[in-house]
Amino acid sequence: MFTLKNVIQSAFRLANYSPISKNVVSVKAKILLPSTSRFFSGSSESTFRCVQYPSMNATPSILSSISPLLQNLSLTTPSLQQTRSVTKWSLKKGKRKTVKAVVSRFYRLGWGAWIRPMVGHSKRHWSKTAKRKIRGEKHVFCNATQSTLLDKMVTKYWRKRRFYVDDMYESYHQREEYPSSAVKPH
């Protein structure tokens, strides 16, 4: 991934490239970007080396053309931090809230396991064989750690068994190994 320093250096090189002149000029550029100052190894003043045009001084035009771009970059830097945290207390009633992504991506069976579709089942269909597409339509179990985490991310309403008309998962809701879902007495 390119850092902002690499992008700026590339811009200086491209803007000042001239096959006629081989004069190399050291340009001191003072860049004050609060959100991206970590890319500049602790200092906001960096030295860039660039090739100068033979007839004109390149330093003012470079800084004046790149400074608006740098301001736009610093203002529109998106946050890359992903959050899927649980709201511990809602503002209205003070109760926990369900993480909606869990309900939309996973399904809880009657005996407590969570299932999900295979990863990437709907991506790059043009490059998959028919056999691989069929295999991708199947669902897989989440492990015990993931199931415990998903149980914590939803409220009691979603942990209870849901009864639907013509449920295609009906045969998977019971398991004899678990006392809570066993039909035969142990």
Side-chain angles (χ1 to χ4, degrees), residues 40-70:
F40 290 100
S41 65
S43 70
S44 62
E45 189 171 7
S46 300
T47 303
F48 303 105
R49 298 187 65 76
C50 61
V51 180
Q52 186 179 7
Y53 285 109
S55 63
M56 48 191 279
N57 188 3
T59 307
S61 64
I62 293 170
L63 294 177
S64 62
S65 63
I66 290 184
S67 62
L69 295 173
L70 293 176

Side-chain angles (χ1 to χ4, degrees), residues 121-137:
H121 67 98
S122 60
K123 302 270 185 177
R124 296 172 56 98
H125 268 261
W126 55 269
S127 67
K128 294 181 182 177
T129 61
K131 209 174 187 181
R132 196 166 162 203
K133 288 178 193 173
I134 292 169
R135 193 181 334 130
E137 292 174 3

Side-chain angles (χ1 to χ4, degrees), residues 159-173:
R159 284 193 294 270
K160 283 192 265 180
R161 182 168 172 199
R162 320 282 342 133
F163 292 95
Y164 298 108
V165 178
D166 297 329
D167 189 10
M168 63 177 153
Y169 302 108
E170 185 63 43
S171 58
Y172 302 103
H173 282 294

Side-chain angles (χ1 to χ4, degrees), residues 4 8 31 33 36 40 66-75:
L4 190 57
I8 293 170
I31 300 168
L33 296 175
T36 56
F40 290 100
I66 290 184
S67 62
L69 295 173
L70 293 176
Q71 290 172 357
N72 289 341
L73 282 174
S74 67
L75 295 176

Side-chain angles (χ1 to χ4, degrees), residues 100-113:
K100 299 298 180 189
V102 172
V103 178
S104 64
R105 295 177 188 173
F106 299 90
Y107 183 77
R108 191 174 194 273
L109 297 175
W111 51 280

Side-chain angles (χ1 to χ4, degrees), residues 88-96:
K88 300 275 186 176
W89 296 280
S90 66
L91 294 174
K92 289 187 179 179
K93 294 194 173 183
K95 295 181 179 178
R96 279 180 89 118

